[in-house]
Amino acid sequence: MSNGTHRPVSELTATLVLAAVAMGAWAAWLGWDQHRDVQPDGSTTGPYQAWQVIGLGLTLLAPVYWAASRQYVMAAVLGTSAGLGAASLLDWSDDGSGLYVTGVGMVTVGSLLVTGALSLAVSAWKRRA
């Protein structure tokens, strides 16, 4: 019989693993691209292309689904959001304007909302199945 400590330890482990996976996915998809693109009219875009951000999102679907399907909803939400927040903070912290803090906040809040909705939907679907 279980002594009741297995579930919190498993959820903490899942949270840490998801944070590490999110940071690794950020590095793989976005971390290598640091240069802005100059358009013919002189404006700049980037440094990321849409396909990179989409790839990051699609890559994170699998670990979020894995955690949520095991009823680790908080791990899916907090781990992924913390990992993306930390990765964006590390990636953007050399910005001299100080606006990177706003960007990090937007990444963190956005990932909280998206992973929260996705995790709750997956968790509810798995409970019914």
Side-chain angles (χ1 to χ4, degrees), residues 84-86 88-90 92-93 99-109:
L84 289 177
S88 62
L89 178 67
L90 290 170
W92 298 338
S93 64
L99 288 175
Y100 72 93
V101 176
T102 303
V104 170
M106 292 171 67
V107 166
T108 304
V109 170

Side-chain angles (χ1 to χ4, degrees), residues 19-39:
V21 167
M23 289 181 79
W26 180 285
W29 285 101
L30 305 177
W32 55 271
D33 194 355
Q34 300 297 316
H35 301 288
R36 295 196 176 274
D37 300 321
V38 179
Q39 303 301 316

